[in-house]
Amino acid sequence: PFCADVNKQLSDQNNHRTKTGTLIKENMGRIYLEHIGGARLFSCATCYTILTNRNELISTRFTGATGRAFLFKRVVNLTYSEVQDRVMLTGRHMVRDVSCKNCTAKLGWIYEFATEENQRYKEGRVILERALVTESDGFEEHMGDD
Amino acid sequence: MQQQQLQNQQTSANGSETVQQNGTDRTLDTEAARSETQNGVADGDPPPTLTVVQEEMVRLIGQHLTGLGFKKSAELLMSESGCRLDHPAAARFRQCVMDGEWSKAEAALNELRNMLDNPSNQTEMRFLLLEQKYLELLENGQAMEALTCLRSQLTPLQHNMERVHQLSSLMFMSNPEELRVAAGWAGIGNESRQALMDKLQHFLPPAIMLPPHRLETLLLQAVENQRGQCSYHNTGSDTQVLGSGGSLLTDHSCPLQAFPCTMVQCLTDHCDEVWIARFSPDGSKLATGSKDATVIIWDVDPETLTVTRRFTLDGHNFGVVYLAWSPDSTKLIVCLQEEAAELTVWNAEHGDQICKVSNSPDDSLTCAAWHKDSRKFVCGGMRGQFYQCGLEGHILDSWEGVRVQCLAVQNDGKTVLASDTHHRIRGYHFDEVQDHNIIQEDHGIMSFTLDSTGRYALLNVANQGVHLWDLNNRTLVRKFRGLTQGHYTIHSCFGGDNQDFIASGSEETNLYRWIHQYEAYATTVILCTCIGNVSLARSSFPPVFLGCYSNDKNVGIW
């Protein structure tokens, strides 16, 4: 006999997914957060979850809905939307919106596919809008000799 | 009746003949076969031709029968089947050794020389024979003969001279008892001769002489294999071992009922998600920690295997993310969410606070582990704190620059294992300020636990499932797939009497799994469905009693 509700219905309009595409059920437990490390860190402006660092920065010359946006190589602690077809200044792309894994605040998007050859360098990279993240100091991590 | 007796007489007559001829004279065999109408072989039929494997099986059965003392049956079997137990020269050799006829034994050995795998072994075999001869002569008091043996037979072999020197020193032993002890020898008689034979047999290929107790060896291997294949095997409750109630007549398999797979109790006392549950090391208490900022201590009733609430530890300002019982089961460390910047140590017997560790409001102390003495512990978190503390709440030691995700202390009492954000587990020695890498994974290590020996670590690796590592060799022993993990923090644990099992929570709602890891086999057994279960704890008492907890507000006990 089970003594609790089975699956609660998802109330969110946007379905949040993990990187591998699994739909995330709400209220399951303590969210697992990675920490990318580094000297200058970028975090979610809403809940300060660490997302990426200066080392991962590729370009600062992007624009999003809220203004300036940065392109990063690798960003952690994100959830992804369904893939969407968007026409941007630089051409047609397939993108997924990314949100903070911890608080679901919108952060930017990830390029999945670029139709034009000279835009392909963006594939797999993440745009974070400058207004939606905060920068802070990290520290030098102890790596060890071996 | 009379006919039967006649048959039996004929049987024994044939039996003794075949001993000497041992299957070399086929015509006699077929005659014997023809007259054995009672045994199902019709008059005039030749014995059935056997494949190689069938012949080997017959030989093994013959060996087994001989070992049990059924010599006549064995001989009859050999004559009827046309097989032979051992090569006649080998049989002679064995007979000579068992009778103590050393010169004949050496002669027989010479005959076998060409059949040996490695002809140079003959020297070693001769050495063993002569060693036995020498010791027997000594024990018999025939010192002169023993000396002759030593000088003119053993020494010229120039083999294992160390042992020869040892043997010569035994010459002065007058007491047989002392002689035996000094030589490491059982004394004259069947026992030592049989032991000698066993040693000698190793040099003879199986076609010449069967390895001893071969049938029994094979059967035991088969039983071991069955036990290994048993999905629900729990070595403590193993009642089917051969020789202790087990039987060869049926395959071994543990019943599913022996497995904890029904929920016996559901605890609904928490008001919000339960994030962690841990049994005390002595199995007498259970602690559950929740997002509702309370920890409830429960007493375990060993008879009914249910728990009853003892008291609630509250006064925390944030959700409880981790619990660590002291090895003596008297104290509990309660770790809160990162924002709390402190942890509390409680007395689990009386429910009062022992101390708090709160250093700076920017600290994160989300994980902890006790030292063996239950007086010191380590704690740390993702913002880079890694402290060693005492029971007053003071920080005794601190290690810079490590973002700690999970902690454990090794059985050696000084190595602290910490998993960090670089997907690795390192061992830290606070006293010597030394650290070293132990495990490197490719993905984040969400949590890990050690088994009771401290040799194995069970890791929950993000997006990879559960990995079992051997810490001594630093090798990955096994991966348990099929558990999608990555979004929520999941714990797993060892369970069962001999750490036979591991169990892990999973993100797939309505599922939690027991997995059996018995030697070479790992069977995933999806045993039960449980709502939103993401983690487990275990009790150390048999029968296997596992408490699982779910991530809605309830805790299920299995």
Side-chain angles (χ1 to χ4, degrees), chain B residues 300-517:
Chain B
V300 175
D301 181 342
E303 266 144 69
T304 61
L305 296 182
T306 54
V307 300
T308 43
R309 183 192 182 127
R310 193 174 175 152
F311 38 63
T312 308
L313 308 173
D314 50 20
H316 309 112
N317 296 324
F318 290 90
V320 178
V321 301
Y322 201 75
L323 294 170
W325 282 98
S326 60
D328 62 6
S329 300
T330 59
K331 302 184 265 285
L332 187 68
I333 298 179
V334 175
C335 296
L336 308 172
Q337 285 169 288
E338 209 172 72
E339 298 82 352
E342 65 176 15
L343 63 72
T344 321
V345 184
W346 293 84
N347 179 319
E349 305 275 306
H350 308 123
D352 49 306
Q353 272 192 29
I354 296 180
C355 71
K356 272 196 191 193
V357 176
S358 60
N359 179 42
S360 140
D362 296 324
D363 277 1
S364 61
L365 299 170
T366 51
C367 189
W370 287 91
H371 274 276
K372 254 179 20 177
D373 60 3
S374 296
R375 301 194 58 81
K376 281 196 309 207
F377 57 92
V378 288
C379 56
M382 294 276 270
R383 292 191 197 156
Q385 285 71 43
F386 187 10
Y387 299 145
Q388 185 159 264
C389 308
L391 285 179
E392 300 81 38
H394 297 154
I395 296 174
L396 305 168
D397 248 314
S398 153
W399 199 296
E400 298 284 309
V402 184
R403 298 190 192 271
V404 174
Q405 281 188 317
C406 196
L407 290 166
V409 179
Q410 262 290 17
N411 285 358
D412 65 1
K414 62 171 186 165
T415 313
V416 175
L417 300 176
S419 67
D420 59 26
T421 51
H422 301 282
H423 308 165
R424 47 176 202 185
I425 295 181
R426 284 178 78 82
Y428 295 85
H429 294 151
F430 274 85
D431 297 331
E432 293 122 37
V433 196
Q434 259 184 21
D435 62 322
H436 54 279
N437 225 29
I438 299 182
I439 291 177
Q440 179 71 55
E441 285 272 2
D442 295 324
H443 294 83
I445 302 171
M446 292 196 285
S447 63
F448 74 95
T449 53
L450 301 179
D451 75 336
S452 55
T453 64
R455 177 166 177 179
Y456 292 99
L458 201 59
L459 275 58
N460 281 71
V461 181
N463 291 318
Q464 298 297 298
V466 179
H467 290 181
L468 177 68
W469 283 79
D470 179 331
L471 296 177
N472 284 2
N473 316 342
R474 301 185 195 173
T475 49
L476 178 62
V477 174
R478 189 165 300 125
K479 290 187 185 184
F480 297 94
R481 290 164 298 173
L483 303 165
T484 60
Q485 294 170 6
H487 195 79
Y488 293 104
T489 305
I490 294 183
H491 298 270
S492 59
C493 62
F494 291 92
D497 297 320
N498 265 349
Q499 328 273 297
D500 287 327
F501 304 103
I502 67 129
S504 175
S506 97
E507 280 176 14
E508 295 158 41
T509 54
N510 302 341
L511 232 53
Y512 103 62
R513 298 164 190 232
W514 269 110
I515 302 170
H516 184 208
Q517 58 123 14

